[in-house]
Amino acid sequence: MNAPLRTTVSELGELELLARILGRIGSPTEGDRWSGDDTAVLRWPHDRLLVTTDMMVQGIDFELTYATGADIGWKAVSINASDIAAMGACPTHAVAAVGLPPETELAFVDDLMDGIIEAASRYGVALVGGDLSAAREISIAIAMLGTAGEPILRTGARAGDAICVTGFLGGAAAGLVALRQGMPVAPPVDALMRRQLRPEARVEAGAVLAAIGPTAMIDLSDGLAVDLGHLLDPGDLGCEIEPGAIPIQPGIDAVDGLDPLETAVLGGEDFELLFTLDPAKVDQAASELSSQGVNMSQIGEVTAGEARLGERSLEEWRRKGWEHLRTP
Amino acid sequence: MNAPLRTTVSELGELELLARILGRIGSPTEGDRWSGDDTAVLRWPHDRLLVTTDMMVQGIDFELTYATGADIGWKAVSINASDIAAMGACPTHAVAAVGLPPETELAFVDDLMDGIIEAASRYGVALVGGDLSAAREISIAIAMLGTAGEPILRTGARAGDAICVTGFLGGAAAGLVALRQGMPVAPPVDALMRRQLRPEARVEAGAVLAAIGPTAMIDLSDGLAVDLGHLLDPGDLGCEIEPGAIPIQPGIDAVDGLDPLETAVLGGEDFELLFTLDPAKVDQAASELSSQGVNMSQIGEVTAGEARLGERSLEEWRRKGWEHLRTP
């Protein structure tokens, strides 16, 4: 445990590295067995099980020029927790498969584990196992389990439902541009960067909403224009979205070349919850979320017609997104 | 679905690729929801849940010079199923996170899915979700769930127990050397190559054994010398292994430079089951496994003394392994 932090993964060796990481994992709940065997063994006193997986890859989902190990670990856990939150469910356990180049410094691995453990603790998730592999690029694939009473699916929206969203949109995409441009970490841009590097999964908000009963729900990972489309699938539903009602993250106009509305509509990775709701329940949802400190906005309604956002169809917005904002 | 197979992943685009892959996944069991939502939703009528994850990375765990997409997909599922088998448990569901370089051809992705689906079907595992990411190297991280009555842990061996192993050892490591040397695919070497490329998880054998009650069990992924050490942890147990009793895979001596015994003791990835058992149960286990077509050998016994394999300590064997066989 006392290896200098500049020591690399290959100098330390796999067994020592594993021992170092396992030392960071908490003790299993009574009756469980977590790491140290062929699989984790969990008691499961629920009749339903949710499972999801999301992977982050160096050079695609993050760059070491702007993201620390702790940022990467935090985000890898949060994006999985966000998928569970979008079912109105409760995340419980996770396993992590990590690919590390042999020249990776121990300090980075410790930092990555810090971020994973910090986020797991934030969401009440137990990290119960994992796998380490050598690789040429850093990657982390987390699989997460959760429980739910009645999960809120993506399907179920009805014409006349209100379309609502938590929080503010566009911040994570703007933060990514600011990070890539190497902008100084100062207000208002630092808050955007934080939304990119340290997204918060809306787990508590998802649970509050599940009790109220949205007709459909999804988390905003690919951006409003794309993810709203999923709620309207298989295509017999449309929408009218009022651009002025979209809660745009403040400060986006401080980043060169970004239009705030376009960034809020097309930018991904905000991990806010987008949901459809009986209009009679909108005030209750806003009030209960507000008492949790979570902003909620009604941005439009589900229709039986075309899917429109302001002057454009959702399809036109999506095409614009592919041209403008998509990163390779 | 009609894109030419030389089309690349980036030419097709993520959404089309996902649709193509999702079209390959089976229909969910009644009451379940698999792909197509934020998470998979599974009914879970069991009070226990096993979960594990294992990752394979291009250039480390396989090379495209000798492994097809179907080989890689098959193996990624099998190595996870093997961890479940080593608990004497039944694999049930899996999620797969796949990293693909943009220039990957569609034919490769189809082939990878073939291998995943073939192996999942072989083990009775439902592929219920996944994630695709761009990457610079191909990687696949599978997380697998399973159920067990009383899982067989790695801990529990007692002095006097018989040490037994299924199948034959050293084949996968010898096959890897043969593949890297570019040896012709012909007997007896083709069988070794197959053990490297298409390992079989001992799921049925694990279930047969669980009913008989080994005191401890593990699957052989890192090689006999290393994995046997795990069964003797935390170190107050030893063993006497009889080299002549080790079931060496036939044909290893056809590969230049390989000593059959050393390869069987030090080579990894055979995914056979290694277990400790009340000596009074050895005949029953051998007979029941034999009726399943699975060979079983008693290779030694657990002692209260030193851990020895023939003339050497297990520790000396492991050191020899690090010097000789380890791949970067």
Side-chain angles (χ1 to χ4, degrees):
Chain A
M1 289 290 180
N2 295 315
L5 296 179
R6 300 294 302 269
T7 305
T8 66
V9 163
S10 66
E11 285 162 3
L12 192 66
E14 187 188 347
L15 291 178
E16 291 245 11
L17 184 63
L18 266 178
R20 189 181 181 94
I21 289 176
L22 292 181
R24 303 287 307 277
I25 296 183
S27 301
T29 317
E30 175 79 28
D32 282 7
R33 187 160 180 110
W34 293 357
S35 58
D37 217 301
D38 299 294
T39 77
V41 179
L42 311 175
R43 281 165 311 109
W44 199 261
H46 319 285
D47 56 5
R48 230 190 225 112
L49 166 65
L50 274 58
V51 57
T52 187
T53 187
D54 254 314
M55 181 182 225
M56 287 176 56
V57 177
Q58 180 180 7
I60 306 292
D61 299 296
F62 60 85
E63 296 283 358
L64 296 185
T65 46
Y66 62 73
T68 66
D71 292 333
I72 298 160
W74 171 279
K75 188 166 176 177
V77 171
S78 294
I79 64 180
N80 279 280
S82 180
D83 280 322
I84 304 269
M87 305 297 278
C90 177
T92 57
H93 302 84
V95 291
V98 177
L100 290 174
E103 67 276 14
T104 308
E105 287 180 4
L106 216 44
F108 176 87
V109 183
D110 285 352
D111 205 25
L112 181 73
M113 288 303 299
D114 284 346
I116 291 175
I117 289 167
E118 190 190 350
S121 157
R122 158 70 181 80
Y123 304 118
V125 170
L127 181 68
V128 299
D131 183 38
L132 277 182
S133 178
R136 279 173 301 172
E137 60 194 0
I138 298 168
S139 68
I140 171 165
I142 286 185
M144 196 173 285
L145 308 179
T147 62
E150 202 53 52
I152 312 299
L153 304 182
R154 291 182 179 181
T155 52
R158 301 160 309 191
D161 281 349
I163 300 175
C164 304
V165 67
T166 60
F168 297 91
L169 306 188
L176 180 59
V177 173
L179 287 165
R180 286 184 171 162
Q181 289 181 357
M183 289 181 74
V185 183
V189 171
D190 57 345
L192 306 177
M193 293 172 169
R194 191 166 172 85
R195 292 223 49 171
Q196 168 61 221
L197 296 173
R198 296 281 180 139
E200 287 269 343
R202 291 289 194 191
V203 173
E204 293 81 6
V208 163
L209 287 169
I212 296 171
T215 50
M217 187 154 67
I218 192 171
D219 67 323
L220 286 173
S221 54
D222 292 333
L224 179 62
V226 171
D227 291 324
L228 178 54
H230 293 309
L231 293 190
L232 305 174
D233 272 345
D236 47 348
L237 291 173
C239 64
E240 289 289 344
I241 303 292
E242 170 54 53
I246 294 174
I248 302 175
Q249 175 91 23
I252 293 179
D253 49 6
V255 181
D256 268 358
L258 289 190
D259 175 78
L261 178 63
E262 285 190 7
T263 307
V265 173
L266 301 174
E269 301 197 292
D270 285 320
F271 301 105
E272 296 294 349
L273 296 176
L274 177 72
F275 53 99
T276 57
L277 192 65
D278 182 335
K281 294 180 174 176
V282 168
D283 287 348
Q284 181 197 357
S287 152
E288 292 192 21
L289 287 173
S290 170
S291 73
Q292 299 255 338
V294 176
N295 187 67
M296 185 198 110
S297 310
Q298 178 176 352
I299 61 174
E301 69 170 18
V302 181
T303 69
E306 206 193 345
R308 299 191 61 80
L309 191 156
E311 301 291 300
R312 299 202 188 97
S313 74
L314 212 53
E315 182 55 37
E316 285 171 270
W317 277 103
R318 282 194 291 259
R319 270 204 301 276
K320 204 174 166 68
W322 291 106
E323 288 154 24
H324 274 284
L325 271 179
R326 284 283 140 178
T327 55
Chain B
M1 287 291 183
N2 295 314
L5 296 179
R6 300 295 301 268
T7 306
T8 66
V9 163
S10 67
E11 284 162 4
L12 192 67
E14 187 188 347
L15 291 178
E16 291 246 11
L17 184 64
L18 266 178
R20 188 180 181 94
I21 289 176
L22 292 180
R24 303 287 307 276
I25 296 184
S27 301
T29 317
E30 175 79 28
D32 281 8
R33 188 161 178 108
W34 293 356
S35 59
D37 218 300
D38 299 295
T39 76
V41 180
L42 311 175
R43 282 166 309 108
W44 199 263
H46 319 284
D47 56 5
R48 226 189 229 113
L49 167 64
L50 273 58
V51 56
T52 187
T53 187
D54 255 314
M55 181 183 225
M56 286 176 55
V57 177
Q58 180 180 5
I60 305 292
D61 300 296
F62 59 86
E63 296 283 358
L64 296 184
T65 47
Y66 62 73
T68 67
D71 291 334
I72 298 161
W74 171 279
K75 187 166 176 176
V77 171
S78 294
I79 63 178
N80 279 279
S82 180
D83 280 322
I84 305 270
M87 306 298 279
C90 176
T92 57
H93 303 84
V95 291
V98 178
L100 291 174
E103 68 275 16
T104 308
E105 287 180 4
L106 216 44
F108 176 87
V109 182
D110 285 352
D111 205 24
L112 181 72
M113 287 304 299
D114 284 346
I116 291 175
I117 288 167
E118 191 191 349
S121 158
R122 158 70 181 80
Y123 304 118
V125 169
L127 181 67
V128 299
D131 183 38
L132 277 181
S133 178
R136 281 174 299 172
E137 61 194 359
I138 298 168
S139 68
I140 172 164
I142 286 185
M144 195 172 286
L145 308 179
T147 61
E150 202 54 52
I152 312 299
L153 304 181
R154 291 182 179 181
T155 50
R158 302 160 307 192
D161 280 350
I163 299 175
C164 303
V165 67
T166 60
F168 296 90
L169 306 188
L176 180 59
V177 173
L179 287 164
R180 286 185 172 161
Q181 289 181 358
M183 289 181 74
V185 183
V189 170
D190 57 346
L192 307 177
M193 292 171 170
R194 192 165 172 85
R195 292 223 49 170
Q196 168 60 220
L197 296 173
R198 296 279 180 139
E200 287 268 344
R202 291 290 194 190
V203 173
E204 294 81 7
V208 163
L209 287 169
I212 296 172
T215 50
M217 187 154 67
I218 192 171
D219 67 323
L220 286 173
S221 55
D222 292 332
L224 180 62
V226 170
D227 292 323
L228 178 54
H230 293 309
L231 293 190
L232 305 175
D233 272 345
D236 48 348
L237 292 173
C239 65
E240 289 290 342
I241 303 291
E242 170 53 53
I246 294 174
I248 301 174
Q249 175 90 24
I252 293 179
D253 49 6
V255 181
D256 268 358
L258 290 189
D259 175 77
L261 177 64
E262 285 190 7
T263 307
V265 172
L266 301 175
E269 301 197 291
D270 285 319
F271 299 106
E272 297 293 350
L273 296 175
L274 176 72
F275 52 99
T276 56
L277 192 65
D278 182 333
K281 295 180 173 176
V282 167
D283 287 348
Q284 181 197 357
S287 152
E288 292 193 21
L289 287 173
S290 170
S291 73
Q292 300 256 336
V294 176
N295 187 66
M296 185 197 111
S297 310
Q298 179 177 351
I299 61 173
E301 68 170 17
V302 181
T303 68
E306 208 194 344
R308 300 191 61 80
L309 191 155
E311 302 290 300
R312 299 202 189 98
S313 74
L314 213 53
E315 181 55 37
E316 284 171 273
W317 278 102
R318 282 194 292 259
R319 269 203 303 275
K320 201 174 168 68
W322 291 106
E323 288 155 24
H324 274 284
L325 272 178
R326 285 282 141 180
T327 55

